[in-house]
Amino acid sequence: MKVFGHPLSTNVARVLVCLEEVGAEYELVTLDFLAGEHNVPDHVARNPFGKIPALQDGDLILFESRAIAKYILRKFKSREVDLLREGDIEAAAMVDAWTEVEAQQYYPALSPVVFECIIFPIMRGTTTDQSVVDESLEKLKKVLDVYEAQLSKHEYLAGDFFSFADLNHFPFTFYFMATPYAPVFDAYPRVKAWWQRLMLRPSIKKISGNMPTRF
Amino acid sequence: MAPMKVYGWAVSPWMARVLVCLEEAGVEYEIVPMSRSGGDHRRPEHLARNPFGEIPVLEDGDLTLYQSRAIARYILRKCKPELLREGNLAESATVDVWVEVESHQLHPILRDIVVQCIINPYIGLDRDQAVVDENLAKLRPLLQVYESRLSSSPYLAGDHVSLADLSHFGFMRYFMASEYTGVVDDYPRVKAWWDALLARPSVKKVIAGMPPDFGMGSGKMP
């Protein structure tokens, strides 16, 4: 299996961590997106939006990191590693719901801080817009209130089992923890403990090891 | 078997995603109407169902579920799994790809145009034409990708309708009722795909509860 992308990319990391969780063999073909390699015709043929990641598995080409991730988790599903739980309709619903919550609630609240503090300074040379950060942190705290309540009931987001829903939080949270605002999580002890459990996973240790936070 | 319950207001495009799946699956359900202007979604009774204070919410027996795409998947997995193609790795992945494209690429654009063009006039806000123009500029290349995709097959994930197509219905419905509906005429396969969706009995039934002005012109604020 080939993944086209770059180890710094959060969406590529989403896919790589799933490959590591299932123990699949894969190759990361690095595209230099700072040099515009994602826009060359060969890559646009894989991903018509010219974005990363793209996946090639034999004749099948996929894009959109969450779709790629689910494909991998289904293909390599085993009794030991079943991160989607599609055989259990209620468990699968919880995985889907918290996967959507990451995309629709958590990410919009947390990612602007990562963009302002890390990504834009590197990609655009800008300085942090503090008003964007402050507004995002207020939204994030409200979201974390809900997460704290959920993680008081269960060890993981979709229930008492680790799932794709938890994994989806890794890439952007990892970069958030490299901003000066990491201490925001200190007021949410169960969320913080959940994050620390995630960081102990071999898949996450391996992939985050390729994601420098200082440039 | 008690009918499934869906909490929310029928004019919501997110609600529509769920309703069209219920109709396609032929599931017995009832809508529990809530008032957006009355703030029903912020009341403790609703926060107990969905701590994010949003609609739709599904109740099926002991299960309470939120996030419209998760609800849609649950309904189809339970009652019409062929619309997810989960037995086939490549096909189910293709369904997922186009559900994600709608979620992350098309939805933000259509939402912003609909808010500026349809909603703002009713809530006493000026339209920001710059926002509309910025989104139209992003929309065209995106529709070109859809046009290419629909050149290979009549539906987004192949020869038959799937969640990928149905997931587009709610926001497309309002965009196509806006003054910018003509943009899609430049993409004939997209137009044909949209017309095919409109012809489906499930869509006809759900659209009946979605007046193009969200009910605001007739004084029926959701």
Side-chain angles (χ1 to χ4, degrees):
Chain A
M1 254 191 214
K2 287 187 183 172
V3 179
F4 296 86
H6 194 286
L8 287 181
S9 155
T10 47
N11 289 321
V12 172
R14 191 196 313 276
V15 168
L16 298 183
V17 82
C18 288
L19 286 162
E20 290 291 333
E21 284 282 335
V22 300
E25 260 191 65
Y26 67 95
E27 181 194 337
L28 175 63
V29 177
T30 303
L31 299 180
D32 185 350
F33 61 85
L34 288 174
E37 258 195 307
H38 52 304
N39 286 323
V40 303
D42 279 356
H43 186 67
V44 174
R46 291 174 211 120
N47 182 337
F49 303 107
K51 294 188 186 190
I52 55 173
L55 180 88
Q56 187 177 346
D57 185 18
D59 289 337
L60 182 67
I61 295 180
L62 295 174
F63 50 94
E64 290 296 329
S65 61
R66 289 171 189 82
I68 295 172
K70 290 207 277 191
Y71 170 76
I72 290 160
L73 294 176
R74 276 182 202 129
K75 181 169 181 174
F76 294 98
K77 186 191 90 154
S78 65
R79 230 184 8 214
E80 296 79 31
V81 187
D82 178 4
L83 300 185
L84 295 176
R85 301 279 163 134
E86 284 172 343
D88 176 342
I89 198 172
E90 296 203 0
M94 291 297 117
V95 175
D96 286 344
W98 284 89
T99 295
E100 284 296 305
V101 166
E102 188 277 333
Q104 310 294 341
Q105 313 276 2
Y106 185 86
Y107 169 82
L110 176 138
S111 65
V113 179
V114 173
F115 280 104
E116 286 298 327
C117 294
I118 301 182
I119 299 177
F120 291 159
I122 298 170
M123 306 267 300
R124 302 179 186 177
T126 52
T127 52
T128 302
D129 183 335
Q130 196 58 43
S131 65
V132 171
V133 170
D134 292 342
E135 195 186 312
S136 296
L137 291 175
E138 285 317 300
K139 285 191 209 164
L140 179 61
K141 287 172 191 171
K142 297 195 171 110
V143 171
L144 291 179
D145 283 337
V146 179
Y147 275 60
E148 185 73 7
Q150 181 69 1
L151 292 165
S152 306
K153 290 189 266 187
H154 301 292
E155 205 187 334
Y156 293 102
L157 290 171
D160 292 318
F161 55 93
F162 178 73
S163 79
F164 181 52
D166 307 288
L167 265 184
N168 270 301
H169 290 73
F170 151 62
F172 265 96
T173 307
F174 177 75
Y175 281 128
F176 180 88
M177 294 307 186
T179 73
Y181 303 97
V184 165
F185 276 66
D186 293 345
Y188 304 90
R190 293 202 158 84
V191 181
K192 190 169 176 183
W194 162 82
W195 174 247
Q196 286 167 342
R197 282 199 295 283
L198 257 61
M199 284 304 294
L200 290 175
R201 295 185 76 83
S203 64
I204 290 183
K205 279 195 212 177
K206 180 169 175 193
I207 299 306
S208 64
N210 297 326
M211 294 163 73
T213 57
R214 297 246 180 97
F215 300 90
Chain B
M1 194 86 146
M4 293 193 192
K5 289 187 185 174
V6 192
Y7 292 79
W9 36 89
V11 297
S12 154
W14 291 274
M15 189 82 165
R17 175 174 288 121
V18 169
L19 297 181
V20 82
C21 288
L22 285 164
E23 289 291 332
E24 286 284 335
V27 173
E28 234 195 290
Y29 70 96
E30 62 183 79
I31 295 177
V32 180
M34 289 173 53
S35 165
R36 186 180 190 280
S37 48
D40 285 353
H41 51 311
R42 304 271 179 231
R43 294 183 201 286
E45 193 187 315
H46 190 71
L47 293 173
R49 290 177 210 118
N50 180 349
F52 296 102
E54 295 182 337
I55 62 97
V57 171
L58 182 85
E59 273 178 5
D60 183 22
D62 288 337
L63 179 73
T64 301
L65 192 55
Y66 47 87
Q67 294 294 150
S68 64
R69 291 174 189 84
I71 298 172
R73 284 183 187 278
Y74 171 77
I75 291 161
L76 296 180
R77 204 171 268 139
K78 185 175 184 183
C79 306
K80 193 106 181 180
E82 56 265 44
L83 296 185
L84 297 175
R85 311 279 198 279
E86 267 172 11
N88 181 305
L89 279 175
E91 290 178 14
S92 56
T94 306
V95 172
D96 288 347
V97 165
W98 291 93
V99 170
E100 294 297 316
V101 170
E102 188 278 339
S103 177
H104 303 296
Q105 312 224 33
L106 186 63
H107 162 94
I109 293 172
L110 297 188
R111 176 204 60 211
D112 283 358
I113 293 173
V114 166
V115 163
Q116 293 300 325
C117 296
I118 302 181
I119 295 181
N120 277 5
Y122 284 109
I123 59 176
L125 288 180
D126 288 335
R127 176 203 290 211
D128 186 339
Q129 192 60 42
V131 170
V132 175
D133 293 341
E134 195 185 305
N135 278 289
L136 288 170
K138 289 190 233 175
L139 178 60
R140 289 179 177 282
L142 185 53
L143 288 177
Q144 189 55 56
V145 176
Y146 277 76
E147 185 74 6
S148 302
R149 174 67 204 151
L150 293 165
S151 307
S152 310
S153 55
Y155 295 99
L156 290 168
D159 291 333
H160 305 286
V161 82
S162 74
L163 175 64
D165 312 285
L166 299 175
S167 201
H168 284 73
F169 162 63
F171 275 90
M172 277 293 287
R173 186 273 178 281
Y174 289 112
F175 174 77
M176 294 303 275
S178 80
E179 68 198 72
Y180 293 103
T181 185
V183 168
V184 174
D185 291 342
D186 294 339
Y187 306 91
R189 292 195 160 86
V190 178
K191 183 92 205 319
W193 164 80
W194 176 243
D195 288 340
L197 287 177
L198 285 177
R200 297 185 76 80
S202 62
V203 170
K204 286 186 190 180
K205 172 125 189 251
V206 176
I207 218 172
M210 299 167 76
D213 62 357
F214 290 90
M216 290 188 281
S218 51
K220 285 182 172 182
M221 288 284 287

